[in-house]
């Protein structure tokens, strides 16, 4: 790519690339066919940087690449053994802190958390399972909120809003009791398309559109054959 | 070449993982050339008759008998493999984890909508029955487990690749498509 006025030069894993000024590291990498794993980040919404999956190393310092803008001459470490180990540990911690029963989950095969576990070759988490007791809220006419699977990424809170900008989902409680809940009043009149979008935007199987079960055969689901991120890597 | 000795068991599992072992199809003929089965539901040998090279565990630990058998396997097997989601993380039986045991039993035997003929409200209490644990435990939280093969059930190709590598002392090849959690 030629250097133009709105392009700056950065290096990712020793590979020099020209990227759009003002973009974040995640976006800049994607532009160049380099995958940096993300989980809580949702394209088009403000980054939250809570899951730390997109951690990269700049000047020997760990940074979240979904919030860090690129600067001229920046040297970024991404696909290294150390960072991939950190990412794998994050996935393992997420698996043991909730109740992720993949065989019984409607989102299995299309789940980003599961796909990241596949990509980083997690066979078993190295941490003890906590098996917390969580509730399933099926009181809304359109949506089931499965708290066992929620990773509190905030993607539904940020992206699912009504025409006045009101949020359908919200945080409740603090610390280890933190939960994402569906507004009981707004939830009652939730339009169909928004409920479907909420299920799509959820990276795990915590938001389920009612009356939709297992409708995709094993082998044809999103991450059955290709690892997450390969759509970016194959798009050079 | 001396044949490697294999043992298998199903703890709190559904035998689906054993079915998946059979799913290696005609390769089972190759397997039988390479290994000899000892204690296993496949040949119905109840007690170990010699030291075993590879022990395959299906299912997690939900009661005292599961724990006893798992420890028995650990004592008699050089290598232990957790096969399937239940052995690795408790699986579907572990859905009761987090719910007090009394509540579970009451729901199953007294208050459940399908309970019809338990007018005296008896919970199973025969002394022959193994004691239920407070929760379902993954096998590696009870004994040391050497290898993990996830899946519900694990794909036959994953089982075959892993077993073949272990039997022939070769590194294991794991193609992306064969490691799945469901």
């Amino acid at each position: 790519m030629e250097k133009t006025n709105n392009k700056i030069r950065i290096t990712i894993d020793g590979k020099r690339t020209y990227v759009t000024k003002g973009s974040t590291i995640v976006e800049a990498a994607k532009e160049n066919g380099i995958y940096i794993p993300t989980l809580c980040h949702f394209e088009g919404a403000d980054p939250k940087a809570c899951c730390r999956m997109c951690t990269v190393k700049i000047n020997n310092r760990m940074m979240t690449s979904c919030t860090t803008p690129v600067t001229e001459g920046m040297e970024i470490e991404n696909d290294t053994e150390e960072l991939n180990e950190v990412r794998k540990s994050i996935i393992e911690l997420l698996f043991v802190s909730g109740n992720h029963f993949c065989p019984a989950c409607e989102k299995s095969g299309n789940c980003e958390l599961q796909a990241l576990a596949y990509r980083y070759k997690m066979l078993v988490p190295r941490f003890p399972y906590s098996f917390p007791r969580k509730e399933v809220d099926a009181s809304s006419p359109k949506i089931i909120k499965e708290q066992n699977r929620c990773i509190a990424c905030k993607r539904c809170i940020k992206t699912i809003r009504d025409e006045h900008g009101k949020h359908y989902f919200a945080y409740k409680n603090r610390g280890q009791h933190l939960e994402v809940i569906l507004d009981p009043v707004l939830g009652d009149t939730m339009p169909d398309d928004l409920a479907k979008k909420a299920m799509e935007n959820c990276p795990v199987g915590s938001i389920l559109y009612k009356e939709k079960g297992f409708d995709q055969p094993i082998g044809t689901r999103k991450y059955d054959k290709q690892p997450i991120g390969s759509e970016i890597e194959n798009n050079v | 070449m001396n044949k490697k000795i294999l043992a298998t068991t199903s703890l709190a599992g559904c035998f689906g993982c054993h079915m998946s072992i059979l799913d290696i199809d005609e390769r089972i003929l190759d397997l039988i050339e390479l290994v000899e089965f000892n204690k296993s539901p496949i040949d119905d040998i109840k007690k170990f008759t010699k030291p075993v090279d590879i022990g395959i565990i299906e299912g997690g630990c939900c009661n005292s008998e599961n724990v006893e058998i798992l420890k028995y396997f650990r004592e008699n097997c050089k290598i232990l493999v957790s096969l399937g989601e239940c052995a690795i993380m408790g699986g579907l039986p572990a859905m009761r984890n987090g719910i007090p045991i009394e509540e579970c039993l009451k729901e199953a035997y007294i208050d459940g909508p399908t309970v019809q003929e338990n007018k005296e409200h008896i919970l199973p209490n025969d002394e022959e029955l193994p004691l239920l644990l407070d929760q379902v435990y993954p096998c590696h939280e009870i004994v040391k487990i050497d290898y993990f093969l996830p899946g519900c059930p694990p794909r036959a190709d994953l089982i075959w690749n892993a077993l073949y590598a272990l039997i022939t002392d070769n590194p294991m090849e794991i193609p992306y498509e064969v490691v799945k959690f469901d």
Side-chain angles (χ1 to χ4, degrees), chain B residues 7-141:
Chain B
T8 72
T9 188
S10 179
L11 307 176
C14 68
F15 265 93
C17 299
H18 273 80
M19 290 297 142
S20 206
I21 297 178
L22 300 180
D23 234 5
I24 62 175
D25 299 332
E26 75 278 5
R27 286 171 291 187
I28 202 141
L29 300 173
D30 301 328
L31 183 68
I32 231 58
E33 293 297 316
L34 294 166
V35 301
E36 173 193 328
F37 277 87
N38 203 273
K39 177 174 163 56
S40 166
I42 290 172
D43 53 20
D44 211 21
I45 296 179
K46 308 283 190 203
K47 293 218 151 82
F48 287 108
T49 55
K50 52 173 103 169
V52 167
D53 294 300
I54 303 162
I56 298 173
I57 312 288
E58 170 192 336
C61 291
C62 78
N63 63 30
S64 56
E65 193 215 8
N66 297 152
V67 174
E68 211 170 289
I69 291 179
L70 182 59
K71 286 183 172 166
Y72 186 44
F73 262 73
R74 182 70 277 181
E75 280 161 23
N76 288 279
C77 303
K78 286 185 203 148
I79 294 170
L80 272 194
V81 183
S82 266
L83 184 68
E85 285 297 298
C86 298
I88 289 175
M89 58 87 64
L92 299 199
M95 281 184 153
R96 76 163 160 96
N97 290 5
I99 301 169
I101 191 93
E102 195 184 347
E103 214 176 297
C104 289
L105 288 169
K106 274 190 177 156
E107 177 69 18
Y109 293 100
I110 298 172
D111 301 329
T114 55
V115 179
Q116 288 178 346
E117 292 186 18
N118 188 7
K119 295 198 177 69
E120 286 148 50
H121 291 184
I122 297 169
L123 294 177
N125 58 1
D126 194 294
E127 58 185 26
E128 292 275 311
L129 291 173
L131 200 66
L132 277 185
L133 304 181
D134 62 333
Q135 64 161 60
V136 180
Y137 290 87
C139 292
H140 63 274
E141 291 185 12

Side-chain angles (χ1 to χ4, degrees), chain A:
Chain A
M1 203 184 293
E2 284 300 307
K3 189 178 175 180
T4 54
N5 279 343
N6 66 341
K7 296 278 176 187
I8 53 172
R9 182 180 55 90
I10 62 164
T11 313
I12 303 179
D13 290 332
K15 192 183 151 208
R16 185 185 289 190
T17 48
Y18 291 97
V19 299
T20 312
K21 212 188 260 180
S23 57
T24 63
I25 298 173
V26 165
E27 290 160 354
K30 188 178 176 187
E31 199 182 322
N32 284 281
I34 296 166
Y35 174 66
I36 298 177
T38 54
L39 187 57
C40 70
H41 181 50
F42 192 77
E43 228 174 286
D46 287 341
K48 177 161 183 281
C50 69
C51 73
R52 321 307 275 187
M53 269 308 288
C54 66
T55 299
V56 291
K57 229 170 168 185
I58 305 156
N59 281 337
N60 220 19
R61 209 176 143 197
M62 304 266 196
M63 309 275 278
T64 47
S65 55
C66 67
T67 51
T68 313
V70 285
T71 56
E72 177 68 40
M74 196 178 238
E75 287 182 17
I76 300 158
E77 284 177 51
N78 169 41
D79 191 10
T80 65
E81 208 186 319
E82 182 197 8
L83 286 168
N84 288 340
E85 193 54 40
V86 168
R87 291 163 182 167
K88 192 177 172 186
S89 307
I90 293 170
I91 302 161
E92 290 171 338
L93 283 168
L94 284 170
F95 264 90
V96 297
S97 60
N99 293 315
H100 297 280
F101 295 97
C102 294
C105 181
E106 292 83 345
K107 204 70 179 272
S108 186
N110 296 317
C111 166
E112 288 179 36
L113 178 65
Q114 189 192 52
L116 285 165
Y118 293 160
R119 183 172 174 118
Y120 291 96
K121 299 194 165 59
M122 181 191 96
L123 295 178
V124 61
R126 285 164 291 183
F127 307 100
Y129 284 95
S130 59
F131 295 118
R133 187 169 187 180
K134 298 279 174 90
E135 298 299 326
V136 178
D137 175 15
S139 57
S140 143
K142 289 279 159 57
I143 273 188
I144 299 172
K145 185 75 184 70
E146 231 292 16
Q147 303 297 16
N148 289 292
R149 304 166 184 165
C150 188
I151 55 169
C153 66
K154 216 181 173 181
R155 272 160 61 156
C156 55
I157 301 180
K158 285 187 293 195
T159 59
I160 307 301
R161 306 167 86 165
D162 72 2
E163 67 269 30
H164 309 295
K166 273 193 194 161
H167 297 275
Y168 278 88
F169 294 90
Y171 272 157
K172 185 186 164 191
N173 301 332
R174 293 258 168 199
Q176 62 168 336
H177 304 293
L178 181 76
E179 271 184 350
V180 176
I181 55 156
L182 174 65
D183 186 307
V185 179
L186 276 182
D188 274 351
T189 54
M190 196 172 197
D192 224 34
D193 54 330
L194 214 53
K196 280 181 185 156
K197 196 173 145 203
M199 180 172 177
E200 265 169 44
N201 291 4
C202 179
V204 290
S206 178
I207 299 174
L208 301 169
Y209 179 69
K210 273 195 180 171
E211 292 171 27
K212 180 190 153 83
F214 299 84
D215 60 351
Q216 260 177 302
I218 290 178
T220 65
R221 300 166 306 179
K222 202 169 172 192
Y223 304 115
D224 277 343
K225 298 267 193 306
Q226 294 294 320
I228 187 169
S230 57
E231 69 282 1
I232 293 173
E233 290 162 327
N234 298 336
N235 193 25
V236 189

